[in-house]
PDB file of all heavy atoms in Angstrom:
ATOM      1  N   GLU A  89     -92.416 -33.515  99.282  1.00  0.00           N
ATOM      2  CA  GLU A  89     -92.447 -33.383  97.832  1.00  0.00           C
ATOM      3  C   GLU A  89     -93.851 -33.257  97.245  1.00  0.00           C
ATOM      4  O   GLU A  89     -94.065 -32.493  96.322  1.00  0.00           O
ATOM      5  CB  GLU A  89     -91.712 -34.562  97.192  1.00  0.00           C
ATOM      6  CG  GLU A  89     -90.230 -34.547  97.492  1.00  0.00           C
ATOM      7  CD  GLU A  89     -89.483 -35.743  96.926  1.00  0.00           C
ATOM      8  OE1 GLU A  89     -90.108 -36.594  96.247  1.00  0.00           O
ATOM      9  OE2 GLU A  89     -88.266 -35.837  97.182  1.00  0.00           O
ATOM     10  N   GLU A  90     -94.809 -34.018  97.760  1.00  0.00           N
ATOM     11  CA  GLU A  90     -96.151 -34.021  97.189  1.00  0.00           C
ATOM     12  C   GLU A  90     -97.026 -32.878  97.707  1.00  0.00           C
ATOM     13  O   GLU A  90     -97.865 -32.371  96.982  1.00  0.00           O
ATOM     14  CB  GLU A  90     -96.854 -35.357  97.451  1.00  0.00           C
ATOM     15  CG  GLU A  90     -96.183 -36.535  96.784  1.00  0.00           C
ATOM     16  CD  GLU A  90     -96.186 -36.435  95.264  1.00  0.00           C
ATOM     17  OE1 GLU A  90     -97.199 -35.994  94.683  1.00  0.00           O
ATOM     18  OE2 GLU A  90     -95.160 -36.797  94.648  1.00  0.00           O
ATOM     19  N   PHE A  91     -96.833 -32.503  98.975  1.00  0.00           N
ATOM     20  CA  PHE A  91     -97.707 -31.504  99.585  1.00  0.00           C
ATOM     21  C   PHE A  91     -96.974 -30.217  99.973  1.00  0.00           C
ATOM     22  O   PHE A  91     -97.614 -29.238 100.338  1.00  0.00           O
ATOM     23  CB  PHE A  91     -98.381 -32.070 100.836  1.00  0.00           C
ATOM     24  CG  PHE A  91     -99.315 -33.210 100.549  1.00  0.00           C
ATOM     25  CD1 PHE A  91     -98.925 -34.520 100.779  1.00  0.00           C
ATOM     26  CD2 PHE A  91    -100.590 -32.976 100.055  1.00  0.00           C
ATOM     27  CE1 PHE A  91     -99.782 -35.576 100.526  1.00  0.00           C
ATOM     28  CE2 PHE A  91    -101.455 -34.027  99.805  1.00  0.00           C
ATOM     29  CZ  PHE A  91    -101.052 -35.332 100.038  1.00  0.00           C
ATOM     30  N   SER A  92     -95.655 -30.227  99.940  1.00  0.00           N
ATOM     31  CA  SER A  92     -94.837 -29.082 100.372  1.00  0.00           C
ATOM     32  C   SER A  92     -95.135 -28.675 101.817  1.00  0.00           C
ATOM     33  O   SER A  92     -95.145 -27.502 102.159  1.00  0.00           O
ATOM     34  CB  SER A  92     -95.033 -27.876  99.449  1.00  0.00           C
ATOM     35  OG  SER A  92     -94.645 -28.206  98.140  1.00  0.00           O
ATOM     36  N   TYR A  93     -95.392 -29.666 102.668  1.00  0.00           N
ATOM     37  CA  TYR A  93     -95.614 -29.405 104.086  1.00  0.00           C
ATOM     38  C   TYR A  93     -94.275 -29.199 104.778  1.00  0.00           C
ATOM     39  O   TYR A  93     -93.243 -29.707 104.338  1.00  0.00           O
ATOM     40  CB  TYR A  93     -96.321 -30.575 104.762  1.00  0.00           C
ATOM     41  CG  TYR A  93     -97.768 -30.771 104.364  1.00  0.00           C
ATOM     42  CD1 TYR A  93     -98.443 -31.917 104.752  1.00  0.00           C
ATOM     43  CD2 TYR A  93     -98.480 -29.830 103.629  1.00  0.00           C
ATOM     44  CE1 TYR A  93     -99.769 -32.117 104.419  1.00  0.00           C
ATOM     45  CE2 TYR A  93     -99.806 -30.026 103.283  1.00  0.00           C
ATOM     46  CZ  TYR A  93    -100.444 -31.176 103.685  1.00  0.00           C
ATOM     47  OH  TYR A  93    -101.755 -31.370 103.356  1.00  0.00           O
ATOM     48  N   GLU A  94     -94.292 -28.453 105.881  1.00  0.00           N
ATOM     49  CA  GLU A  94     -93.112 -28.264 106.709  1.00  0.00           C
ATOM     50  C   GLU A  94     -93.004 -29.498 107.607  1.00  0.00           C
ATOM     51  O   GLU A  94     -93.948 -29.820 108.327  1.00  0.00           O
ATOM     52  CB  GLU A  94     -93.271 -27.007 107.557  1.00  0.00           C
ATOM     53  CG  GLU A  94     -93.462 -25.751 106.721  1.00  0.00           C
ATOM     54  CD  GLU A  94     -93.927 -24.555 107.543  1.00  0.00           C
ATOM     55  OE1 GLU A  94     -93.673 -24.502 108.761  1.00  0.00           O
ATOM     56  OE2 GLU A  94     -94.565 -23.671 106.949  1.00  0.00           O
ATOM     57  N   THR A  95     -91.872 -30.194 107.546  1.00  0.00           N
ATOM     58  CA  THR A  95     -91.730 -31.431 108.314  1.00  0.00           C
ATOM     59  C   THR A  95     -90.513 -31.358 109.237  1.00  0.00           C
ATOM     60  O   THR A  95     -89.561 -30.627 108.972  1.00  0.00           O
ATOM     61  CB  THR A  95     -91.581 -32.656 107.392  1.00  0.00           C
ATOM     62  OG1 THR A  95     -90.392 -32.516 106.614  1.00  0.00           O
ATOM     63  CG2 THR A  95     -92.783 -32.809 106.474  1.00  0.00           C
ATOM     64  N   ASP A  96     -90.580 -32.135 110.304  1.00  0.00           N
ATOM     65  CA  ASP A  96     -89.481 -32.197 111.257  1.00  0.00           C
ATOM     66  C   ASP A  96     -89.504 -33.550 111.945  1.00  0.00           C
ATOM     67  O   ASP A  96     -90.560 -34.179 112.059  1.00  0.00           O
ATOM     68  CB  ASP A  96     -89.609 -31.074 112.287  1.00  0.00           C
ATOM     69  CG  ASP A  96     -88.330 -30.847 113.088  1.00  0.00           C
ATOM     70  OD1 ASP A  96     -87.258 -31.340 112.673  1.00  0.00           O
ATOM     71  OD2 ASP A  96     -88.407 -30.177 114.129  1.00  0.00           O
ATOM     72  N   TYR A  97     -88.321 -34.004 112.361  1.00  0.00           N
ATOM     73  CA  TYR A  97     -88.180 -35.231 113.147  1.00  0.00           C
ATOM     74  C   TYR A  97     -87.992 -34.864 114.605  1.00  0.00           C
ATOM     75  O   TYR A  97     -87.415 -33.822 114.923  1.00  0.00           O
ATOM     76  CB  TYR A  97     -86.899 -35.984 112.772  1.00  0.00           C
ATOM     77  CG  TYR A  97     -86.909 -36.700 111.460  1.00  0.00           C
ATOM     78  CD1 TYR A  97     -85.993 -36.368 110.480  1.00  0.00           C
ATOM     79  CD2 TYR A  97     -87.784 -37.740 111.211  1.00  0.00           C
ATOM     80  CE1 TYR A  97     -85.954 -37.026 109.269  1.00  0.00           C
ATOM     81  CE2 TYR A  97     -87.752 -38.406 110.005  1.00  0.00           C
ATOM     82  CZ  TYR A  97     -86.838 -38.049 109.045  1.00  0.00           C
ATOM     83  OH  TYR A  97     -86.804 -38.715 107.863  1.00  0.00           O
ATOM     84  N   PHE A  98     -88.432 -35.754 115.482  1.00  0.00           N
ATOM     85  CA  PHE A  98     -88.026 -35.673 116.877  1.00  0.00           C
ATOM     86  C   PHE A  98     -87.715 -37.079 117.333  1.00  0.00           C
ATOM     87  O   PHE A  98     -88.574 -37.962 117.287  1.00  0.00           O
ATOM     88  CB  PHE A  98     -89.108 -35.054 117.772  1.00  0.00           C
ATOM     89  CG  PHE A  98     -88.678 -34.951 119.202  1.00  0.00           C
ATOM     90  CD1 PHE A  98     -87.710 -34.025 119.576  1.00  0.00           C
ATOM     91  CD2 PHE A  98     -89.209 -35.772 120.168  1.00  0.00           C
ATOM     92  CE1 PHE A  98     -87.294 -33.925 120.895  1.00  0.00           C
ATOM     93  CE2 PHE A  98     -88.804 -35.686 121.487  1.00  0.00           C
ATOM     94  CZ  PHE A  98     -87.845 -34.760 121.857  1.00  0.00           C
TER      95      PHE A  98
END
Side-chain angles (χ1 to χ4, degrees):
E89 293 177 2
E90 296 297 321
F91 295 102
S92 299
Y93 290 170
E94 300 167 25
T95 62
D96 195 15
Y97 286 120
F98 181 71

